[in-house]
Amino acid sequence: MAKLVVLTEGFKDRSHELTAERTTVGRVEDNAFPIPEPSVSSHHCEVLLRGGEVRVKDLNSTNGTFIDGQPVTESALKPGQILRLGKVDLKLEGAAPPASKKAPDQTMVVTGGVSLKELEQGPKAVGFDTAGKGFSKKSNRANRLFFVVVALVMLVILSVLAYVIYTQSGTPPRP
């Protein structure tokens, strides 16, 4: 496993194993590998594991990022090389883990598209239903309840309206 080991006096006991694809290094505590030294920027650089290679990317640091004395913005870091952040020297020990092999894409290409006859026949079983049960229709209980309540409210409104009309048209006012 690859790890960064601090060589600078006062920080010699510090090291960080590179287990994540992206490791931030800087002066403040929110970095994955904090180095509390004034010459190190708050977010100085990030160390990336890419395809079995360790890469260092400078994050616009004030004092720069160097590999074996050469300034870099982004570069590969090989085992044994010295990474300098401000006034702090680090050494890469070990190798990066090999690139992970991704599972092949399971996308199926259908040449010629779908015919109208196939569409009219409806959906076909795809083969991912392992329990032997098809998809069930979602319950519309809430929708039914809503419509029942709306119907009852409308019935009450119509009844009140009919009552008002009936009482108004029944007998003429007395003088």
Side-chain angles (χ1 to χ4, degrees), residues 34-137:
I35 302 174
E37 209 287 324
S39 67
V40 176
S41 293
S42 57
H43 298 97
H44 200 101
C45 70
E46 58 186 9
V47 180
L48 309 164
L49 299 179
R50 295 280 196 280
E53 164 178 80
V54 177
R55 297 195 60 80
V56 176
K57 181 179 179 184
D58 184 75
L59 297 176
N60 298 319
S61 62
T62 303
N63 293 317
T65 300
F66 300 84
I67 295 178
D68 286 341
Q70 299 298 312
V72 296
T73 52
E74 184 172 347
S75 182
L77 179 65
K78 298 188 181 346
Q81 287 187 311
I82 304 298
L83 172 65
R84 172 165 260 192
L85 310 176
K87 295 180 181 177
V88 177
D89 288 334
L90 301 100
K91 182 178 181 180
L92 179 65
E93 292 184 354
S100 63
K101 294 181 181 180
K102 292 184 179 178
D105 187 8
Q106 299 294 322
T107 305
M108 183 174 76
V109 177
V110 179
T111 58
V114 179
S115 70
L116 182 59
K117 183 178 178 184
E118 289 174 318
L119 287 175
E120 290 171 349
Q121 291 175 351
K124 295 181 179 179
V126 179
F128 55 81
D129 185 17
T130 58
K133 299 176 186 174
F135 290 106
S136 62
K137 186 175 179 181

Side-chain angles (χ1 to χ4, degrees), residues 136-157:
S136 62
K137 186 175 179 181
K138 186 178 176 182
S139 171
N140 287 329
R141 191 172 181 183
N143 287 344
R144 273 189 266 142
L145 180 62
F146 173 76
F147 287 118
V148 168
V149 169
V150 168
L152 288 174
V153 169
M154 293 298 287
L155 185 61
V156 169
I157 291 173

Side-chain angles (χ1 to χ4, degrees), residues 2-8 10-20 22-37 40-48 54 56 59 77 83-85 88-93:
K3 73 176 179 176
L4 288 174
V5 179
V6 181
L7 303 175
T8 303
F11 297 100
K12 282 196 174 187
D13 294 336
R14 297 181 69 93
S15 66
H16 185 81
E17 281 198 32
L18 302 174
T19 55
R22 178 179 173 266
T23 302
T24 56
V25 182
R27 184 179 67 245
V28 295
E29 289 294 320
D30 67 349
N31 288 287
F33 186 23
I35 302 174
E37 209 287 324
V40 176
S41 293
S42 57
H43 298 97
H44 200 101
C45 70
E46 58 186 9
V47 180
L48 309 164
V54 177
V56 176
L59 297 176
L77 179 65
L83 172 65
R84 172 165 260 192
L85 310 176
V88 177
D89 288 334
L90 301 100
K91 182 178 181 180
L92 179 65
E93 292 184 354

